[in-house]
C-alpha cells in the first residue's frame, strides 16, 4: 500500500487534480479567477470559491462493535477483577457491523449521515432500538423543507453492511441532493469522491448529470493527502469511537451483560461522529486538502518533499564521488603497498647475494 501511495501521491498528480477542479469550478460559476494569483508563489490561490455551499466531499468508514483492532488486540482489552483476584481479560469481538458514510460542503456544514447495517435487517420498533432517535448522529445542516429541524440521517441494510454498487446513488439521492432544493443543470454543484466502485457506476453518473451534480474523482491512492474525510474527519472519529466502545463494554459488564449489540452500533458512534464532523473539523479538513481556501497546499508539500529527496540523493552521489580517491588510497595502502614492499625487499636481498 505504501509503495502504491508513493507512486501516485506525486506533486504532478496533485497539481493536475487542482487544475482540473479549478477549471470546472470556474466553468460552472462556483468560483472566479484570482487576479492576484502568482504561479511561483507558494500557496497563492489561483481561484476564489464564491459558492462553497455547492462544493461537496464524501467518503465512508467501517463501523463495528468489535473492540479489538487489527494486530492491536492486546491494547484493546478490559480487565475485570476483584480485590486480590487474578482477574479476567474481557474483550468484545464482533457482534454488529456496518458502514457510516459522511460528507461535508466547503462552507463548513456537514451532510446527513448514511448508515448501513449488516444482516439485511434494521430494527426500529419499540423493543428493537438499532436506530433509536437518541442514538442517531445529528446533522448540523438545516432541512430546507423544515428549517427548524436538521437534515435527517438515512439508513440501509445489506448482507455485509458495506457499500455496494447501488448505494452510491442512494446516498446521493438521500443525503446530497435534498440539501440543494434548487439543484439543476442551470444551478449545478460539484461532489468530490474517490474511485470506489459504488461511487462510479453508469447509473450514478447518468442520474448526477440529469440533476446537475458534477462528479470529480481524486487521483487513485491519494485519499491520505487529498481527501478531507481521511485527512481529518475519520482521524478524529475512530479513536473517540473506540474509546466509547470500551467504556460501554465496561458498563455492560457491570450490568451482567457480556456483549455489545447491533443497537449499540450507533450509540457508540453518535458523539464521535458529531465531533468529527463539527464546524471546526469541517473547515480544517477543506483547508488541509488545499481546496477551501484554494491554496493547493498538498501540491506544495509534495513538491517540497520531492525536491528534498532529490537534493539528498544528489548530496549522497557527490559524497561518494568525493570519497572515491580516499577509498582508492586506502585500498592501495592496505593491499597493494605491502606487497610492493615485500617484492622490493626480496629483490634487494637477491641483488645482495649476487
Amino acid at each position: 500500500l505504501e509503495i502504491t501511495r508513493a507512486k501516485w501521491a506525486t506533486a504532478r498528480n496533485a497539481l493536475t487534480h487542482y487544475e482540473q477542479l479549478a477549471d470546472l469550478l470556474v466553468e460552472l460559476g462556483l468560483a472566479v479567477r484570482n487576479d492576484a494569483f502568482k504561479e511561483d508563489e507558494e500557496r497563492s490561490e489561483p481561484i476564489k470559491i464564491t459558492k462553497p455551499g455547492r462544493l461537496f466531499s464524501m467518503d465512508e468508514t467501517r463501523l463495528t462493535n468489535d473492540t479489538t483492532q487489527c494486530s492491536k488486540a492486546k491494547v484493546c482489552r478490559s480487565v475485570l477483577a476483584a480485590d486480590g483476584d487474578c482477574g479476567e481479560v474481557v474483550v468484545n469481538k464482533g457482534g454488529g457491523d456496518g458502514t457510516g458514510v459522511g460528507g461535508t460542503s466547503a462552507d463548513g456544514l456537514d451532510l446527513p449521515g448514511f448508515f448501513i447495517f449488516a444482516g439485511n435487517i434494521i430494527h426500529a420498533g419499540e423493543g428493537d432500538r438499532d436506530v433509536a432517535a437518541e442514538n442517531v448522529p445529528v446533522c448540523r445542516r438545516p432541512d430546507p423543507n423544515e428549517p427548524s429541524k436538521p437534515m435527517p440521517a438515512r439508513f440501509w441494510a445489506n448482507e455485509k453492511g458495506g457499500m455496494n454498487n447501488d448505494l452510491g446513488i442512494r446516498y446521493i439521492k438521500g443525503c446530497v441532493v435534498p440539501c440543494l432544493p434548487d439543484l439543476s443543470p442551470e444551478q449545478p454543484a460539484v461532489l468530490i469522491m474517490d474511485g470506489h466502485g459504488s461511487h462510479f457506476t453508469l447509473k450514478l453518473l447518468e442520474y448526477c448529470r440529469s440533476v446537475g451534480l458534477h462528479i470529480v474523482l481524486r487521483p487513485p491512492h491519494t485519499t491520505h493527502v487529498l481527501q478531507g474525510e481521511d485527512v481529518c474527519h475519520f482521524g478524529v472519529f475512530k479513536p473517540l469511537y473506540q474509546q466509547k466502545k470500551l467504556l460501554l463494554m465496561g458498563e455492560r459488564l457491570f450490568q451482567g451483560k457480556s456483549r455489545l449489540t447491533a443497537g449499540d452500533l450507533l450509540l457508540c458512534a453518535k458523539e464521535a461522529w458529531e465531533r468529527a464532523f463539527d464546524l471546526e473539523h469541517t473547515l480544517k479538513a477543506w483547508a488541509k486538502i488545499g481546496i477551501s481556501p484554494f491554496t493547493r497546499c498538498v501540491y506544495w508539500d509534495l513538491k517540497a518533499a520531492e525536491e528534498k529527496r532529490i537534493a539528498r540523493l544528489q548530496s549522497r552521489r557527490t559524497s561518494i564521488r568525493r570519497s572515491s580517491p580516499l577509498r582508492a588510497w586506502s585500498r592501495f595502502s592496505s593491499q597493494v603497498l605491502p606487497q610492493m614492499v615485500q617484492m622490493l625487499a626480496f629483490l634487494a636481498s637477491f641483488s645482495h647475494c649476487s
Side-chain angles (χ1 to χ4, degrees):
L1 177 60
E2 293 304 321
I3 294 175
T4 303
R5 283 180 170 179
K7 179 181 178 181
W8 283 95
T10 64
R12 181 177 180 179
N13 285 343
L15 182 59
T16 300
H17 172 65
Y18 285 129
E19 289 175 343
Q20 291 177 345
L21 180 59
D23 290 344
L24 178 63
L25 292 176
V26 171
E27 179 185 342
L28 297 178
L30 306 183
V32 296
R33 298 292 179 185
N34 181 14
D35 294 335
F37 170 63
K38 297 180 179 179
E39 181 66 43
D40 297 329
E41 182 178 315
E42 185 171 345
R43 307 196 182 215
S44 180
E45 299 176 49
I47 63 171
K48 295 287 186 179
I49 298 176
T50 55
K51 298 179 180 179
R54 305 186 81 84
L55 177 59
F56 298 92
S57 175
M58 60 78 67
D59 194 32
E60 64 276 348
T61 189
R62 193 69 176 166
L63 302 178
T64 176
N65 282 334
D66 194 333
T67 55
T68 65
Q69 296 176 352
C70 183
S71 302
K72 298 180 181 179
K74 291 183 178 179
V75 298
C76 299
R77 293 175 174 177
S78 302
V79 178
L80 183 65
D83 187 23
D85 190 3
C86 61
E88 179 184 359
V89 177
V90 180
V91 64
N92 191 83
K93 190 166 182 62
D97 292 292
T99 297
V101 186
T104 63
S105 52
D107 60 355
L109 290 176
D110 57 335
L111 290 169
F114 182 51
F115 301 100
I116 308 160
F117 287 77
N120 287 319
I121 188 168
I122 299 177
H123 301 291
E126 291 295 329
D128 299 310
R129 303 168 61 80
D130 291 356
V131 290
E134 63 270 21
N135 294 351
V136 178
V138 178
C139 178
R140 294 179 291 108
R141 183 183 299 271
D143 187 338
N145 297 319
E146 296 184 74
S148 62
K149 297 181 179 180
M151 285 290 295
R154 303 289 179 174
F155 304 95
W156 195 253
N158 55 31
E159 182 180 356
K160 295 183 179 180
M163 288 287 286
N164 53 33
N165 290 342
D166 68 324
L167 290 186
I169 192 169
R170 288 185 182 277
Y171 173 76
I172 289 175
K173 286 183 175 181
C175 297
V176 180
V177 173
C179 296
L180 296 174
D182 62 342
L183 181 65
S184 68
E186 293 73 33
Q187 296 289 332
V190 172
L191 174 61
I192 309 174
M193 305 186 294
D194 61 36
H196 187 276
S198 65
H199 303 168
F200 201 57
T201 64
L202 179 60
K203 186 177 180 181
L204 182 149
L205 294 177
E206 289 177 342
Y207 172 75
C208 290
R209 176 179 293 181
S210 70
V211 299
L213 184 63
H214 294 254
I215 302 298
V216 174
L217 296 182
R218 297 178 174 89
H221 307 292
T222 60
T223 58
H224 62 295
V225 291
L226 284 174
Q227 185 163 270
E229 289 77 17
D230 285 356
V231 170
C232 183
H233 297 297
F234 294 149
V236 174
F237 169 73
K238 290 180 180 179
L240 294 176
Y241 180 46
Q242 179 71 10
Q243 182 183 49
K244 180 62 177 180
K245 287 189 292 185
L246 292 172
L247 291 174
L248 186 60
M249 183 63 186
E251 293 179 14
R252 291 287 189 269
L253 289 172
F254 285 109
Q255 296 170 1
K257 302 176 182 178
S258 60
R259 296 183 64 82
L260 300 180
T261 67
D264 297 319
L265 198 64
L266 287 184
L267 174 61
C268 293
K270 176 179 169 60
E271 293 181 6
W273 192 272
E274 292 173 353
R275 175 60 177 152
F277 286 92
D278 64 11
L279 178 62
E280 174 190 353
H281 291 106
T282 298
L283 295 177
K284 184 182 294 185
W286 283 99
K288 290 180 75 172
I289 61 174
I291 292 182
S292 182
F294 209 90
T295 60
R296 307 181 299 169
C297 61
V298 176
Y299 159 70
W300 289 106
D301 291 343
L302 291 173
K303 183 173 183 289
E306 290 172 6
E307 290 174 348
K308 187 176 181 180
R309 286 195 296 270
I310 293 173
R312 188 186 302 118
L313 181 60
Q314 291 175 342
S315 175
R316 189 173 301 169
R317 289 174 177 173
T318 301
S319 176
I320 291 174
R321 285 197 298 269
R322 288 176 178 175
S323 64
S324 292
L326 294 177
R327 290 185 178 183
W329 167 251
S330 176
R331 186 164 53 250
F332 174 81
S333 62
S334 63
Q335 299 177 15
V336 180
L337 188 59
Q339 295 178 5
M340 292 179 64
V341 171
Q342 292 177 1
M343 179 62 70
L344 290 173
F346 172 77
L347 291 175
S349 62
F350 182 81
S351 176
H352 180 72
C353 292
S354 299

